[in-house]
């Protein structure tokens, strides 16, 4: 589907949005949908010195967590104009999984399930990486636009159960 970050465009219906987070320069907003609660309090999304916007949230039922980050722009780092400037799909997928494993004390393993580059669903093409940390499924969507990295990561709170 389309992107989760919008350029200062307000969502159509306030009842569809649990919280709205905005970059301090007003260039980017992230709308948290109903059914999710922000771990990052409104007005704290800009508190990170390293990110233009950083939001953490979890589902109300505890089933999943997410992190949305916009990096670059006025906060320093520049990522180029396209995904190719970020790196190869394989390198990005492996780096993402390694980072997740390093930052999760309970995870004993992590691996890429699939990775693909998808055509533009708006102004930029994007990478989608499906992976597992332990037995918990996760997905990340990354894009580069105007020297900024846009990244949304969502991970299930419980291991996946498959029935045959």
């Amino acid at each position: 589907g389309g992107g989760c970050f919008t350029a200062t465009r307000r969502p159509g219906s306030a009842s569809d949005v649990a919280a709205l987070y905005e970059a301090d320069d007003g260039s980017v907003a992230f709308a948290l949908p109903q059914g999710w609660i922000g771990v990052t309090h409104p007005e704290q999304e800009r508190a990170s010195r390293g990110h233009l916007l950083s939001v953490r949230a979890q589902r109300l039922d505890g089933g999943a967590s997410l992190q949305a980050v916009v990096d670059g722009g006025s906060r320093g780092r520049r990522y180029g104009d396209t995904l190719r400037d970020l790196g190869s799909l394989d390198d990005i997928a492996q780096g993402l999984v390694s980072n997740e494993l390093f930052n999760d004390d309970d995870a004993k393993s992590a691996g890429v399930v699939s990775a693909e580059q998808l055509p533009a669903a708006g102004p930029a093409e994007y990478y989608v990486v499906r992976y597992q940390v332990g037995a918990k499924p996760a997905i990340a969507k990354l894009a580069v636009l105007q020297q900024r990295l846009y990244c949304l990561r969502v991970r299930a709170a419980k291991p996946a159960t498959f029935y045959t």
Side-chain angles (χ1 to χ4, degrees):
C4 58
F5 295 98
T6 59
T8 63
R9 187 171 52 99
R10 299 280 182 204
S13 169
S15 65
D16 294 336
V17 176
L20 182 67
Y21 299 90
E22 292 186 87
D24 53 3
D25 66 359
S27 64
V28 176
F30 176 73
L32 193 60
Q34 291 293 331
W36 290 81
I37 186 168
V39 174
T40 302
H41 297 288
E43 303 301 320
Q44 293 300 306
E45 67 269 29
R46 301 179 294 272
S48 171
R49 293 185 310 152
H51 304 303
L52 185 62
L53 183 76
S54 180
V55 174
R56 290 184 183 273
Q58 62 187 29
R59 286 193 44 87
L60 288 174
D61 64 9
S65 62
L66 72 77
Q67 181 180 21
V69 172
V70 178
D71 199 6
S74 64
R75 296 283 169 103
R77 292 183 281 234
R78 299 203 177 278
Y79 290 90
D81 295 314
T82 69
L83 282 172
R84 287 175 289 290
D85 295 329
L86 189 59
S88 74
L89 176 58
D90 187 52
D91 288 346
I92 297 304
Q94 293 301 326
L96 179 70
V97 167
S98 294
N99 186 51
E100 290 278 345
L101 184 59
F102 180 77
N103 289 312
D104 186 333
D105 293 338
D106 296 329
K108 293 179 176 52
S109 65
V112 174
V113 174
S114 68
E116 59 187 322
Q117 182 173 337
L118 297 174
E125 60 190 2
Y126 53 96
Y127 290 157
V128 174
V129 180
R130 290 172 180 81
Y131 58 101
Q132 286 189 303
V133 180
K136 298 174 186 173
I139 188 169
K141 184 175 180 180
L142 301 97
V144 171
L145 182 66
Q146 298 177 340
Q147 304 293 320
R148 293 180 177 167
L149 170 65
Y150 296 79
C151 179
L152 174 65
R153 296 181 305 178
V154 180
R155 182 164 44 155
K158 296 180 181 177
T161 304
F162 298 99
Y163 299 96
T164 56

